[in-house]
Amino acid sequence: MKKKIGYSICLLLSLFALPRVLAQQPIKQSRPHITITGTVIDTTGRRVEGASVTVPGKKSVGTSTDVNGRFILDVDEGATIVISYVGYGEQRITAASEHKSLDIVLRTAAAGESVVVTAYGKKVRKEAVVGSVTSVNPDALRIPASNLTNALAGQVAGVISFQRGGQPGADNSQFFIRGVTTLGYSASPLILVDNVELTSNDLARLNVDDIASFSILKDASAAALYGARGANGVILVTTKEGKIGRARINLRYENSVSKPTKNIQLADPITYMKGYNEAATTRGAAVPPFTPNQIQDATATWNHAPGSNPYLNPAVDWMSMLFKKQTTTQRANLSVQGGNDLARYYISGSYDRDNGILQTNPVNNFNTGMKYENYQLRSNINVKVTKTTEVIARLWGNFNEYTGPITNDQSGLATDLYDKVLHTNPVAFPAFYLPDSANLLTKHILFGNSTVNGGLQDNPYADLMYGYKTFSESRISAQFEVNQNFNFITKGLSFHGIFSTNRYSYFDLSRHYNPFYYNVGSYDPKSNQYTLHWLNNSPGQAYEYLTYDPVNNSTRRITTYIYMQGSVDYDRSFGDHRVGLTVLGTREQTLTPDANDPLTNQPSLQASLPARNLGTSGRASYSFDNRYFLEFNFGYNGSEKFAPNHRFGFFPTIGAGWVISNEQFWKGGIGDLITRLKIRGSYGKVGNDNIGKQRFFYLSSVNPDGGPGASFGTTNSFSLNGTTILAYPNPDVTWETAKKSNVAVEMTIGKGLSIIAELYHEYRYNILIPRGYIPVTAGIESSAAGNLQANLGTAYSTGVDLHMDFNKRLSRDLAITLMGNFTYSTNKVGHLEEPQYPYSYLFHTGHPIDQQYGFIGERLFVDDKEAANSPAQASFGGPLPQGGDIKYRDINKDGVIDSYDKAAIGLPTTPEIIYGFGFSVMYKQFDLNAFFQGLARESFFVNSSNDNDTYYGKYGTEPFVNNAQLLKAYADNHWSLENQNLYALWPRYSLYNNVNNAQQSSWWLRDGSFMRLKSLEAGFTFPAKWTRSIYMDKARLYFNGLNLLTFSHFKLWDPEMAGQGFGYPIQKVINVGLNLNF
Amino acid sequence: MKIFIKLLIAGFPILLVSSCKKYLNVTPDNVATLNSSFSNANETQAYLFGCYNNLQNLSDVRHNAGFTTSGEIVFPINLNDRTTLGGGGGDAGFTIMQGLQNSGNPLLNFWDGYNMGLNLWQSIRMCNTFLDNVNTPLDLPAYQKTRWIAEAKFLKAYYHYWLIRMYGPIPIADVALPINATSDQVRVPQQSVDSCFNYVVHLLDTAIAGLPPVIQNTTTEQGRITSTIALAVKAEVLATMASPLFNGNPDYAGMKGKDGKPFFSAAADPAKWQRALDACKAALTAANVAGATLYQLKISGNVTHMSDSTQKLLTIQGAITDSWNPEQIWTLNPQYGWQYMTAARVTADAAANVFAVYSNFSVPLAESELFYTHNGVPIYEDKTWDYPNRFKLQQGDSAHVYYIKKGYTCPKGNFNRENRYYADVAFDGSIWFGAGSTDDNNPNYVNAVNGFAAAPDALRINVTGYWAKKLVPWQTVFGQTSVAYNYSWPFMRLPALWLLYAECLNELNGPGAEAYQYIDLVRARAGLPGVQASWAQYSNNPGKPNTKEGLRAIIHQERRIELAFEGQAGWDLRRWKELQNVLSGPIQGWNTNTGTNGRSITGYYQLVNYYQPVFGLGNYIYPIQTYDLLINPNLVQSLYW
């Protein structure tokens, strides 16, 4: 312990004390003589904001360009002005009194001047990069939604990304770098913001305006420095820092309207009743449950016929009862930046407000509408303490506040209401009653309900109204960094240190009354008056006062995180030779004191222990004459999850690049056509230590005194609980390893078209997979059987990433840009422990990892007789199939349909192809850009079961069962006695869960591919002479839309939601925004 | 200074990692692991209780094939709501008789612990883990350790025995295999039936020595295994081994291991009965020493009037429902939880609360006809009993006033029956003493035609019109607020041991005085004359007790009557290979599902074939889930599956 403290102190000393050791240099002043003004544009005519304008040797003189690319600088005549900007070649101009007004065109850095942010935030000249790193322009990630992850699809070559649901606050896209190559626990990439590991939720909340760079590290060489954590790829984000110059203010305000991309079409209540009757009688009921009178009365209600009574004969459109057609979202963001030689600052604050689409009722004195607010504050301050020492302080606070209806949903957000609406009988009861004579003075809402089999039903309207829940979530991060230049020791040596910590906290609480439920007690047709009968009238079942139960109904979560990093860099050129060396050490700790053990979902001691990582890594690079590049990387790190002898792993990689276009022989001829050509390749190992939910694989995890027990004594008064084993100790478990190889070609054709094409192959081994072969007779406790695992799995993946862009300035006023991305990633299972199946088609090995297995649905049975005489479909349990139920193929021809008749059907459920393409046009003050995105080679299964599982997000579409509503498409196209269509969309109706038809089968298999107009934006920048008059640099008004058009073969709901059509729909957004710069 | 800085900087990252390897030792030494469960005597005892867990679970009749698949009680096959028996799938064991047993996902799967089966292999592993670690705690006194080891061995033996009864040849799990054992080591093959039984008997023998004969501290230990229990179990195991299902069963001669060796012996070996007989004798001796004796009625609380006739019935019932009485050799602590499934609605209060009584446990007509006449012979043998006209209706008379509601119309077959019929079974018109009324001159009675007991809907229905009254103590009152008189589930009673002894004697030596003597002990308590006297005087087959086959039939029927509804008959009928015959005819009962309209005597007394049970040769030995055979290719599927 003492020793540990000692090292911590030595680390801190090295961070804090070092700069002070170094003597401060006095700062000289100089007098201006002339004033130079200039405008900086790039080759496409775009004004370059934030380009730095400096005078070498004069630290106090310097500025940066404003949003219109302009600068003003007072200098001595004859001084050299250097204009530079990341990604562009440097321009040097001599100040002369005859050229006080300058137009400066920055050229895209040719030949290796462009900079790419790579592992640990290190900026590397683009030409020198030998690994696979995609750098995304943050502007490309700006979409009119409060979720950054939804912008990734199609924008980033090499990322497979898709969004399955649209619930505000829980609408993250899933994303995988180069697809999924593991059979194991996690295929998620490592996400680092300013070098600190964060979650995908944090990434989702990042404000695009705050992002300086966004990089994806894809291959072994790029990710090697992360060693045992880099195998799934790395997402690296850095936030903006202040730029030298006067204070600049950027204000953005957006107001959006959102609604589902596609509304699910439900059958009307009358069709529902008829369908319900059909479902009953077609399966043998003698009497239809709804009488013709009931149907007639409901029809009258539905049509608002005179004399109809919607309370007596309810026919409810629950969807509009609970949900508005659309909702609004506001986003505001304000940032200030500036600085001088000594200090720079970037401070930004933002406020997002997502309003839910829920209805409210004036009777309640509290607002049950949903509101999700996000506040963020970010402050990045860079201070030059000495000439060679810079310290950086980064503070970031992210706060989410939510108010909404009470929910049991895992997410804490009230999306289960959407599911409840889809699982409520539209004709059973009205949402609420108007008071009868006895209830005229009643203050509570008279919710409708009915008793079937003695129990009350779910009234979603009451679920919406009876109370509210709020939660509050925050993450506050403080980060301190030191950059120390050691040129005075030896040229090219520098040190970089980081200390970062953050605190995460979450709590929620709810307050509610217990709703009063009524049905109609008696009805007088003459007066058209009813009296109400109070259904839940036992004491304590309903009450009007609010209750609060902080212990049982609330959750609290706290996490602390500490990270330390130190690195030494050496980078120096000797003539044509350039040498770089980096050595780096990190340590990281996450502590979640009240964490639930993933094995039990209960708090446990093991889960309360800190999660730690420790690593050292290094890079050595050599280049010659900007033509030949060679790089060696390694990561050596350890994780406390494994036994001491399996804790540390060494992950080396090697990479090389050759810039052919810099060769002498390339000049002229082909060199004029292909102005830039580079080939590069890498090979190496990286690991993944996020391989299972067990906290420590080398320890058994037990629940002493929490297992099954026994009671003894004549009154059974003496009880003890035994021990449950949650996981057996397995000291041999270690990380999974990826061997990755990558080759790429980068080329620029002519001046505008650049192409990057990459081809990769990966072999993943030591994947922790469940042991398949231990017979149950060994007596492994079932609580632990799933955790009996070994590093035995292997998998392969291969794929292609393509990126292409084209810039052309057609005239002074008109410029166009085209861009396209294409990602293809395919994988297959190498080794998996499988039972000794008697049929070869049952084995998973060799198929894609997400390959689905199911029956082959041939058609519907013609009649009961055929169903009875076909191979028996009894193994699912439940009633035997009848005519109109799905007939499955007996693949092994044994006369029985059972699990041996399941074959690999369809494509993987994770798309293999993601693509995106778009254009932007700028003409004078106007700009227009459009972006199309799509995916292909994906299948999904329409969920045809009665699932109603908000916890796991499984929403079955089977009508009638669990009070499920009837999809219009099913009502229009199903097998019925009148319409015995053997290929109908829906089989014969039934009132019970029809397990025969709910089996995963080719009947429900659908093509998941689609393409959509993901975004379209039109902007107008106000002319400078208008804005300047109000001291404004720039004002831009823009209109944009998200998910505006979708093209797909699948019509029932948005295809990106795959099978779970009853889930919360993906949103279409129309947005207007205003961006002001001062 | 500069040198210091240089060194510091160069060394820094390496320093950070190499010197801080301990940084990753985040687990304290005393994190709870399996070892903690044996750190002291208390924890060790808790682990032992975990070993007991599945044994106690066996008291739930849903898990007991001897209860659910015996033909004694059927569960309705078409209820609106199939979750009434403790949740979905609670009736899995009952559905086997409907022919739903399958090898893809077997019912009552005790191999994997699915579909109302319990995973006994896990319990066996727990016992092995316990035996491996019991020497760890330092504070465990030797005498306790001996006893606990013996208990764990008993449990291990009993779990094996339960599996053998269901699956015949099974793998023997004598040790807990290590987690990293190779696939060859874990793919354990089945052993022959004889070696399985011998293994169980051997384990029991080693356990018996370490067990106490009786429980001294009954407040905290009643229900733990004694040597008396172990000896009785050993007797049952050896009798099972000697019985025709396992002793030279030609139907299973074809079931062979992967090595070609047969699992069942080719020919019956009568000597096995000798071993069983010796074990029964030892068990009986031990039971006597331990003070086992027949139950005497104990009445607590106020009783308005209770005739001698009623007392006799309550004595027969109390032997089961008065827990821990001296007749119960082995009782499992958990209490019978399905009284609401078993009882009939006999009061207005019980009928008013539709959730109080479900009555779904329905006794088939054939089971009710098993009980003797008041002369102690089967109803079809009794010369004085009008067997052909038993379904004719007549009115309750004064002679049966404590059994049948006076003046109430019901079938003739309910008259002139033995006490155990009136004690164990309720029928339309039968007196139901208790349920709130303790005056047998003005008692509650069952009115299933148009009274409280009639089914209010298709959910709370008894589908045959016979109730297993034996399992509902008279003290239990159902109503708006139900008060159940709970009792722990008896697993073995003294009469069972007596009849087992008589059976062994007859199988080994044929009829004899000693055999008659033990049967007559059981009959005497039921108020019946001895076997020889009854048959000689009343039976149309008076010579029956004098032949081995005849006496065998008598013993079998006596055992089924005495142990009716106790979860034993199913096992007995299996080992005798008689269950197929018992289930050959349809399940019959009265027309109880008349709905609320048209409830009438003539409507009710229509004999209804409820369903035709399915029980083939293959049902004697349970199927192993097909998937398990894929995992362990050394296993052989049970014959006929």
Side-chain angles (χ1 to χ4, degrees), chain B residues 195-217:
Chain B
S195 19
C196 289
F197 276 117
N198 284 330
Y199 172 77
V200 170
V201 172
H202 169 75
L203 254 185
L204 286 174
D205 282 338
T206 56
I208 286 163
L211 292 168
V214 286
I215 298 296
Q216 300 293 339
N217 183 354

Side-chain angles (χ1 to χ4, degrees), chain B residues 292-407:
Chain B
T293 166
L294 284 179
Y295 168 75
Q296 303 292 322
L297 185 63
K298 277 186 296 224
I299 301 294
S300 52
N302 295 325
V303 170
T304 313
H305 182 263
M306 189 187 285
S307 63
D308 286 353
S309 305
T310 304
Q311 278 194 29
K312 211 158 240 152
L313 303 190
L314 298 186
T315 308
I316 291 168
Q317 192 191 29
I320 290 95
T321 62
D322 264 351
S323 294
W324 313 111
N325 72 62
E327 180 176 330
Q328 297 182 358
I329 289 176
W330 186 14
T331 306
L332 293 176
N333 294 66
Q335 294 169 329
Y336 179 65
W338 309 112
Q339 289 195 38
Y340 73 97
M341 276 292 168
T342 323
R345 282 173 294 271
V346 293
T347 63
D349 214 21
N353 179 2
V354 288
F355 300 109
V357 181
Y358 277 65
S359 299
N360 289 155
F361 282 180
S362 311
V363 179
L365 176 74
E367 174 70 14
S368 81
E369 295 194 330
L370 197 64
F371 291 88
Y372 293 145
T373 68
H374 61 130
N375 296 321
V377 294
I379 55 174
Y380 51 87
E381 281 188 32
D382 193 324
K383 293 183 287 195
T384 68
W385 205 80
D386 188 4
Y387 181 76
N389 290 321
R390 65 193 190 282
F391 297 145
K392 289 236 168 97
L393 300 176
Q394 73 179 47
Q395 292 190 334
D397 54 18
S398 311
H400 290 83
V401 72
Y402 295 121
Y403 308 137
I404 295 169
K405 174 75 177 169
K406 196 172 173 190

Side-chain angles (χ1 to χ4, degrees), chain B residues 41-328:
Chain B
N42 280 344
E43 298 293 341
T44 310
Q45 189 177 27
Y47 198 91
L48 178 65
F49 278 35
C51 300
Y52 262 107
N53 178 265
N54 264 341
L55 184 76
Q56 298 205 333
N57 286 339
L58 289 173
S59 71
D60 185 336
V61 294
R62 292 177 304 165
H63 302 306
N64 190 338
F67 187 88
T68 58
T69 322
S70 62
E72 292 183 297
I73 284 177
V74 297
F75 196 77
I77 57 175
N78 48 4
L79 288 185
N80 290 344
D81 179 355
R82 300 190 69 82
T83 63
T84 55
L85 199 57
D91 59 345
F94 291 99
T95 61
I96 291 176
M97 286 195 297
Q98 295 169 38
L100 297 186
Q101 184 60 291
N102 67 88
S103 57
N105 184 13
L107 302 164
L108 277 189
N109 181 350
F110 272 78
W111 200 278
D112 303 274
Y114 304 144
N115 297 328
M116 282 298 130
L118 301 167
N119 194 326
L120 297 186
W121 295 114
Q122 283 178 25
S123 298
I124 292 170
R125 187 183 178 94
M126 274 189 202
C127 296
N128 284 325
T129 306
F130 179 86
L131 293 169
D132 289 345
N133 290 286
V134 69
N135 289 318
T136 313
L138 298 171
D139 60 341
L140 178 59
Y143 74 94
Q144 251 178 7
K145 191 192 289 182
T146 313
R147 181 177 168 199
W148 292 1
I149 289 173
E151 285 180 84
K153 283 185 174 169
F154 172 87
L155 292 169
K156 189 168 143 184
Y158 195 79
Y159 293 139
H160 274 102
Y161 165 60
W162 191 278
L163 288 166
I164 295 165
R165 279 203 294 188
M166 296 186 78
Y167 297 96
I170 57 164
I172 285 169
D174 195 40
V175 292
L177 290 166
I179 294 307
N180 53 2
T182 64
S183 52
D184 288 340
Q185 286 170 313
V186 292
R187 290 173 177 174
V188 185
Q190 289 136 308
Q191 307 267 333
S192 77
V193 166
D194 281 347
S195 19
C196 289
F197 276 117
N198 284 330
Y199 172 77
V200 170
V201 172
H202 169 75
L203 254 185
L204 286 174
D205 282 338
T206 56
I208 286 163
L211 292 168
V214 286
I215 298 296
Q216 300 293 339
N217 183 354
T218 54
T219 10
T220 60
E221 293 188 355
Q222 191 66 272
R224 288 176 68 166
I225 297 301
T226 61
S227 58
T228 316
I229 295 171
L231 283 163
V233 167
K234 182 184 165 187
E236 189 187 292
V237 172
L238 282 167
T240 305
M241 181 181 177
S243 297
L245 181 63
F246 297 109
N247 191 3
N249 186 347
D251 299 332
Y252 279 88
M255 193 172 168
K256 294 186 168 106
K258 285 270 152 110
D259 57 1
K261 286 184 188 153
F263 285 139
F264 290 79
S265 55
D269 177 7
K272 287 175 181 167
W273 284 111
Q274 182 65 53
R275 281 180 78 188
L277 181 72
D278 295 345
C280 281
K281 195 161 205 165
L284 279 173
T285 312
N288 284 335
V289 172
T293 166
L294 284 179
Y295 168 75
Q296 303 292 322
L297 185 63
K298 277 186 296 224
I299 301 294
S300 52
N302 295 325
V303 170
T304 313
H305 182 263
M306 189 187 285
S307 63
D308 286 353
S309 305
T310 304
Q311 278 194 29
K312 211 158 240 152
L313 303 190
L314 298 186
T315 308
I316 291 168
Q317 192 191 29
I320 290 95
T321 62
D322 264 351
S323 294
W324 313 111
N325 72 62
E327 180 176 330
Q328 297 182 358

Side-chain angles (χ1 to χ4, degrees), chain B residues 494-506:
Chain B
L494 187 58
L497 211 49
W498 286 343
L499 290 172
L500 201 63
Y501 186 57
E503 185 183 338
C504 293
L505 284 169
N506 184 50

